[in-house]
Every structure is written in structure tokens, then in C-alpha cells.
Amino acid sequence: MRWLFGKHKGQSRAELISSIDIGSSRISCAIAEIDADNGLRVLGMGHHSSDGIRGGVITNMEHTKEAISKAVMHAEKQSRESIRNVFINVPSPHVFSHGIDVEMPIHGAEVTNEDISQLLSQASKNLSPVDKEIIHAIPSSYYIDGSHGIKDPKGMVGDVLGAKIHLVSSTLGPLRNWIACVEQCHMDVQGVVAAPFAAGIGVLDDDEIDLGTVVIDMGASNTGIAIFAEGSLLQLSDVPIGGNHISRDLARAFSTPISHAERVKCLYGSTIVGSSLERETIIIPIIGEQQSSSGSQVSRSSLTRVIKPRMEEIFEHVRERLRSLGVDQIPGCRIVLTGGGCLLSGTAELAQAILARPVRVGYPLHLQGLNKEYTVPYLAACAGILSYVRLQQNQEESDHRPSSPSPRGLLQNIFQKLRERL
């Protein structure tokens, strides 16, 4: 797989790799080491609910720092390790992507790793949007003197080397706030990864990335979309509806606190209508009543009548977004659902009916030592960040390429860019 030149600083084999997935409902941390087979072995994972984030934006810095610290503390306790360097994600509402062609003269010389690095660096430095920061420059293919479709140009000879590159950028404001928040928790941000991209790396195998797959990352505030084909990322997108919208729908429909609506959704929610659910009833607390009150008795099917329309809306928006992105032109493209929102009973079946494509639920792959309790879709992005970093390291080690610039000062670099643009 060709994941090249995200913004990160390479770590040595002796060091741990740590990731933090910052979501609107949950913050997760994973700590892993490189095992004897050059793979990743998870030593510890921790997560904590987040109430200082909404729609991928920090709304309360102190609450967010507290949630990050607690998630990290749980992972450190389980792993018996202490971490200072981490990689984080960028939530899908603040991620943008588009494809470009970039080329440079090589004057009849043989293509080297340095030429390829320079080409990708040129794309990142010279084509960065005014109000955004490039976080990934991912080549899908190369061309030399007009000959297209080259996967690895190293060693070839020509006058002009070019590449079709997918640029992924993030808005500067939220990005610098995420980095500042983590660094105020006494950790250094070593790099950033787009959340839907990380989720895709976390749950897909090589064949799915090659043949064509859409990853739908069903989060709390948003639903991220990542499209993969021919061994590379093709597009990222986002639908601004997620699991929290369902919880709020339930809270309004049954006059219950949002926290209880979330619990009821997770325990009893479904998108499948059936007669058995009509006979099964549950008790839902009413807003403003004492905890000792009996609450309201409702059937599970009444929950479904609230949940299903919102889930249908999410997948209908996804369907329209995929059509606009040209997914219909990828023959046999399948769907992989991940994120906490896909855990509701019947979600995969509903997605398959609306999207008219094969659907499966994606769980974290590629990691060893992962406890069964952590093999869940809502940890896909956290696990994917680890896999991304290791893939980067493997690529750099095999190509003997220099690492991209160190983001120990990534925050300072962003501030410097802001000053230059004033």
C-alpha cells in the first residue's frame, strides 16, 4: 500500500507508537510496539467520553483536555508504559481532499527516490490552500513523458516525471486547536491523519483497497466517507449527520434526557421492524421526574420508528454523495461500515438496501495483541492511525527516503503560515 508523506516524524524501532482518536462522543488512545515480525502489537488501549466537543469542534478546552488525559491514563495503565509522543486524527468535518497532477523535469536522468520525494514535497508546499494545511499528499500513479499508469517510476528514465496526487488538507483553526489541546496535556503531536482515511486503513485488507471499497465511518456528529481503489485513496467526504442526531430524536420523541436516550439507543435500538419488538417494552425516564419515578413504558418498535427514518436519511445522503463523487464508475465497489453508529441492529442490512452494494461491518485489523473487548468498530480510527504510521515507516525504510519535516514544531509552523498570510 502506498501511504506516502503524511506529516509526521519517524520513530525508531525501539520507540512506542501511540495514537489518539478525538471524536465528538469518545476519545480513544492506543499504545503499540513493533513486534519481532515487524508488525504492531497493541500494549494498551483506553477511552473516555468527551463532552467538550461538538461537530468536530472543541467547545470546552478544559473538558476536552480532561477526557484526553483520562483516555491516555487508561492506556498507560494497561500497557505499563508512559507516552510523550502521539499521532492524532483530524475529524471528518474539517478534512478536504482533491486530486491534482504535478510534474517536474528530470532531464533524461534515472528516477531516484529523491526525485519522487521532491515531487510530492512540491505538491504539498506549492499547492496548499490559503486557509488550510496539507496533511497528506498521496500518489495514486506516476507518469513519465506522457506514459501514464506507472505505479513505481524508480529506475526509469525520461525528461519529465509527473504524478497524480490526492491532496488531503485540514482547516487551520480546528487543527491548531486540536494540537494545542493535546500539547497542553504534556504530549508532543508527532503527526496528524484524516479520520476517515485512518478508519479505512484500520478495517480494510489489501484486496479491498485494490478492488474498490467505500468506508463509511459512522461517528457521533458526522459520517465520514473514504473511497479506496487501485491500492490508493481516491476521495474523502463527509455527511453532517451522526449518532447524536438519533439520540436527540429519541430524547424529543419520548421526553427523556439525552443521556438516557443514548443509553436506550445503544441497548435496545434497531432499524429492523418486527412484531416481536411490538410486544417487548422498556421503561424510559421522563425529563424532570425523580429517578425513583416509574417513567414511561414504550415498546421497542416505537424506538425503531424513530431510529429508522434518521438512519435512512444518513444512507440516502451518503448515496447522493457517492454518486456525485463518481463511485458508480468503480465496478464492484463494496461498502464497509465502521464507527460506533454501525453497531445498531440491522444497520448493515439497511445500508445494503439503500446503497445497493455489498455491505459488511468493519472491525480493526492488522494489529496483534488486541483484546477482544477492543475489537470494536468505534476504535477503527484509533487502530488505523497506528497502522498508518507503521506503513509509513516501512515505506521509508524500504526506499531509504528521508522523513518529512518534523511536526514537533507543526503548531509553530502553522502559526508562522498564519503570520505570513496576514
Side-chain angles (χ1 to χ4, degrees):
M1 289 183 284
R2 301 178 298 279
W3 316 124
L4 299 180
F5 287 84
K7 285 186 173 292
H8 79 281
K9 176 183 176 181
Q11 292 175 292
S12 70
R13 290 177 179 270
E15 291 182 305
L16 301 174
I17 299 176
S18 307
S19 64
I20 297 178
D21 171 26
I22 304 172
S24 293
S25 68
R26 181 185 293 105
I27 292 176
S28 304
C29 175
I31 302 172
E33 67 175 357
I34 301 166
D35 62 22
D37 297 324
N38 201 32
L40 282 171
R41 177 168 296 278
V42 176
L43 303 178
M45 295 195 80
H47 56 86
H48 194 273
S49 60
S50 56
D51 60 359
I53 303 167
R54 192 165 190 175
V57 174
I58 296 176
T59 58
N60 188 306
M61 198 73 155
E62 291 304 315
H63 289 176
T64 303
K65 288 193 296 183
E66 181 180 2
I68 291 173
S69 296
K70 288 183 176 179
V72 172
M73 180 185 68
H74 293 324
E76 288 182 329
K77 183 177 180 181
Q78 189 179 82
S79 67
R80 299 182 181 180
E81 298 283 355
S82 179
I83 61 172
R84 289 295 175 265
N85 301 322
V86 296
F87 295 80
I88 68 172
N89 68 349
V90 181
S92 60
H94 308 293
V95 171
F96 305 87
S97 70
H98 66 281
I100 63 165
D101 283 12
V102 60
E103 57 184 39
M104 57 178 275
I106 53 176
H107 308 295
E110 182 178 298
V111 177
T112 65
N113 286 329
E114 287 71 23
D115 292 327
I116 297 172
S117 297
Q118 183 179 344
L119 188 69
L120 299 178
S121 179
Q122 175 182 320
S124 297
K125 291 179 180 179
N126 298 339
L127 298 171
S128 180
V130 173
D131 59 342
K132 298 180 179 67
E133 172 77 3
I134 297 294
I135 58 176
H136 304 295
I138 305 167
S140 58
S141 66
Y142 298 89
Y143 55 91
I144 296 178
D145 297 342
S147 297
H148 289 262
I150 300 171
K151 295 302 181 184
D152 185 359
K154 186 173 58 178
M156 297 183 181
V157 176
D159 293 316
V160 176
L161 171 65
K164 293 184 178 297
I165 296 176
H166 197 81
L167 291 180
V168 181
S169 59
S170 172
T171 47
L172 283 171
L175 177 60
R176 65 184 180 183
N177 278 319
W178 290 123
I179 295 172
C181 189
V182 173
E183 292 194 340
Q184 287 177 31
C185 295
H186 311 291
M187 290 175 287
D188 290 335
V189 175
Q190 298 287 286
V192 293
V193 186
F197 183 32
I201 296 172
V203 301
L204 298 184
D205 62 27
D206 289 355
D207 285 340
E208 287 177 313
I209 292 173
D210 189 49
L211 296 176
T213 303
V214 175
V215 174
I216 300 174
D217 184 16
M218 305 185 70
S221 296
N222 296 76
T223 298
I225 300 171
I227 304 170
F228 298 83
E230 298 182 359
S232 186
L233 176 71
L234 295 186
Q235 188 64 261
L236 294 177
S237 191
D238 176 74
V239 170
I241 312 174
N244 283 350
H245 293 80
I246 298 174
S247 299
R248 290 178 175 274
D249 290 344
L250 291 170
R252 294 187 184 98
F254 300 107
S255 298
T256 191
I258 294 176
S259 60
H260 286 287
E262 175 70 19
R263 183 174 184 274
V264 166
K265 178 189 72 175
C266 295
L267 290 177
Y268 307 106
S270 175
T271 64
I272 301 174
V273 178
S275 57
S276 62
L277 296 183
E278 193 69 45
R279 296 188 296 270
E280 187 176 347
T281 61
I282 58 175
I283 303 298
I284 298 181
I286 303 299
I287 291 178
E289 293 188 357
Q290 298 296 323
Q291 290 185 350
S292 59
S293 176
S294 59
S296 175
Q297 182 171 296
V298 301
S299 66
R300 284 189 63 187
S301 63
S302 63
L303 298 180
T304 301
R305 286 192 286 270
V306 175
I307 292 171
K308 187 177 180 182
R310 181 66 83 171
M311 292 292 282
E312 289 174 335
E313 180 187 11
I314 291 174
F315 290 124
E316 286 166 358
H317 278 286
V318 170
R319 180 181 61 195
E320 295 308 310
R321 190 64 54 85
L322 295 181
R323 285 176 178 171
S324 68
L325 295 174
V327 171
D328 291 342
Q329 300 175 17
I330 305 176
C333 189
R334 58 182 290 139
I335 305 292
V336 174
L337 303 179
T338 195
C342 75
L343 291 174
L344 286 178
S345 175
T347 299
E349 292 81 0
L350 181 64
Q352 186 161 313
I354 294 176
L355 301 176
R357 295 178 181 274
V359 175
R360 76 168 177 88
V361 175
Y363 296 85
L365 303 174
H366 318 301
L367 303 178
Q368 302 297 320
L370 198 63
N371 292 341
K372 189 174 182 180
E373 63 179 300
Y374 293 126
T375 310
V376 287
Y378 60 76
L379 292 177
C382 195
I385 295 171
L386 296 176
S387 295
Y388 168 83
V389 174
R390 189 59 194 138
L391 287 166
Q392 289 275 61
Q393 292 180 342
N394 285 339
Q395 184 70 66
E396 291 172 359
E397 289 165 6
S398 64
D399 290 348
H400 304 290
R401 294 180 185 173
S403 298
S404 53
S406 165
R408 165 64 189 99
L410 178 57
L411 187 58
Q412 294 96 320
N413 292 341
I414 292 173
F415 283 129
Q416 179 62 34
K417 288 187 178 183
L418 285 174
R419 286 192 291 270
E420 292 173 354
R421 291 168 181 171
L422 292 178

